[in-house]
Amino acid sequence: MQRWRGLTDIPEDWGRSVVTIGSYDGVHRGHQLIIGKTVERARELGVPAVVVTFDPHPSEVVRPGSHPPLLAPHPRRAELMAELGVDAVLVLPFTTEFSQLSPADFVVKVLVDRLHAKAVVEGPNFRFGHRAAGDVHLLAELGRDYDYEVLVFNLYESGEAGGGRPFSSTLVRGLIADGDVAGAAEVLGRPHRVEGVVVRGAQRGRALGYPTANVETLPHTAIPADGVYAGWLNAGGEMMPAAISVGTNPQFNGVERTVEAYAIDRVGLDLYGQHVSVDFLARLRDQRTFDSLDGLLECIADDVRRSRDLIQAHTA
């Protein structure tokens, strides 16, 4: 799959394509529907399928300080899109100047002049251009002038997660903030993941017999509520069952919020400096303090046992 950053990265000889545009943070199941329809139409027309997205999130430029917690960094989104059959991902740097493009100018500069869109696939609430003045009706009207068709599909699904609310990135962020990683996984279609580099911490876990990878997460990452979780630590292409702690480590009067993963039954791992990811399967309990070190160790052992059992049941 080709990955471009900015319009100038698009090859000069790029031909017609089928395009969908959006933030697509998380590539959740609703997003997967729209992207799947994009790929399907591209295959029917015999042209590539392209996803156009933005960096940073448009809200950070339009309303500084309002950047939402991110469900997936752009490289991860591209991986997920590639799995859906997308042929190219265009990440447009979202600047103040770019945000002021009129809907018509956006269509000409991006869809017509550079991507030569033959079809554009969107959800019914898609907005574009300065002050989000453009909608799917205007997109279709411009399509008649510039020789592309517009296909609109309902991207909304719902399930048990969030009490039956329609699936959306906003819903996933709320579930993660509440620690409901199982609900988030239902909307995403996979466990929620955080990424970062393993850094040195206080090394208390090592002293207790449960060495953890202290993950310095990427900026704006959507991190689950403080607590203990079962999941996986992914490093060097290997997916290791893990017990995961999120929080400030109140037992030792910590102040810095961390994500730490203990790779169950693994000995001698040295992950310092490596980029890793952590996938969250299920929440086990809240963070808490203990009256004694023995009480803490007993609870950690139970956390590990429960994590092992949950992961084995999930993968059986």
Side-chain angles (χ1 to χ4, degrees), residues 72-109:
H74 282 285
R76 174 62 174 160
R77 294 182 214 178
E79 290 175 2
L80 295 167
M81 292 171 184
E83 291 173 3
L84 296 171
V86 170
D87 299 294
V89 173
L90 168 62
V91 179
L92 290 174
F94 199 89
T95 62
T96 300
E97 179 183 8
F98 186 85
S99 74
Q100 293 172 348
L101 285 177
S102 69
D105 285 344
F106 176 88
V107 164
V108 171
K109 289 178 179 294

Side-chain angles (χ1 to χ4, degrees), residues 153-174:
F153 295 97
N154 187 351
L155 58 79
Y156 296 111
E157 287 193 80
S158 61
E160 294 183 7
R165 290 166 53 197
F167 291 170
S168 68
S169 297
T170 299
L171 175 60
V172 180
R173 293 185 187 108

Side-chain angles (χ1 to χ4, degrees), residues 89-160:
V89 173
L90 168 62
V91 179
L92 290 174
F94 199 89
T95 62
T96 300
E97 179 183 8
F98 186 85
S99 74
Q100 293 172 348
L101 285 177
S102 69
D105 285 344
F106 176 88
V107 164
V108 171
K109 289 178 179 294
V110 178
L111 295 177
V112 178
D113 288 350
R114 299 303 300 172
L115 293 175
H116 311 297
K118 193 173 182 66
V120 181
V121 181
E122 295 298 341
N125 295 328
F126 173 67
R127 311 290 300 197
F128 66 103
H130 185 51
R131 297 187 181 277
D135 59 13
V136 291
H137 302 293
L138 178 58
L139 186 66
E141 182 181 324
L142 291 167
R144 289 190 285 273
D145 293 332
Y146 293 110
D147 187 31
Y148 63 80
E149 65 176 346
V150 173
L151 304 173
V152 179
F153 295 97
N154 187 351
L155 58 79
Y156 296 111
E157 287 193 80
S158 61
E160 294 183 7

Side-chain angles (χ1 to χ4, degrees), residues 27-37 84 187-190:
V27 194
H28 60 66
R29 286 169 54 187
H31 293 155
Q32 292 167 31
L33 283 175
I34 296 297
I35 294 171
K37 293 293 186 181
L84 296 171
V187 183
L188 292 169
R190 64 184 183 281

Side-chain angles (χ1 to χ4, degrees), residues 212-293:
T212 60
N214 187 351
V215 183
E216 186 175 66
T217 56
L218 302 174
H220 303 297
T221 293
I223 299 174
D226 290 1
V228 178
Y229 299 83
W232 295 270
L233 172 63
N234 310 299
E238 184 178 4
M239 198 168 181
M240 297 172 279
I244 307 154
S245 174
V246 177
T248 59
N249 206 337
Q251 183 73 28
F252 299 98
N253 300 312
V255 293
E256 183 179 353
R257 195 162 184 252
T258 61
V259 176
E260 300 179 63
Y262 166 65
I264 298 171
D265 300 328
R266 295 300 299 268
V267 178
L269 282 177
D270 183 2
L271 301 176
Y272 291 121
Q274 290 191 35
H275 185 96
V276 303
S277 61
V278 177
D279 290 357
F280 292 83
L281 173 63
R283 181 179 175 88
L284 301 179
R285 62 174 175 86
D286 293 339
Q287 289 257 321
R288 51 177 289 206
T289 57
F290 299 85
D291 294 333
S292 67
L293 185 60

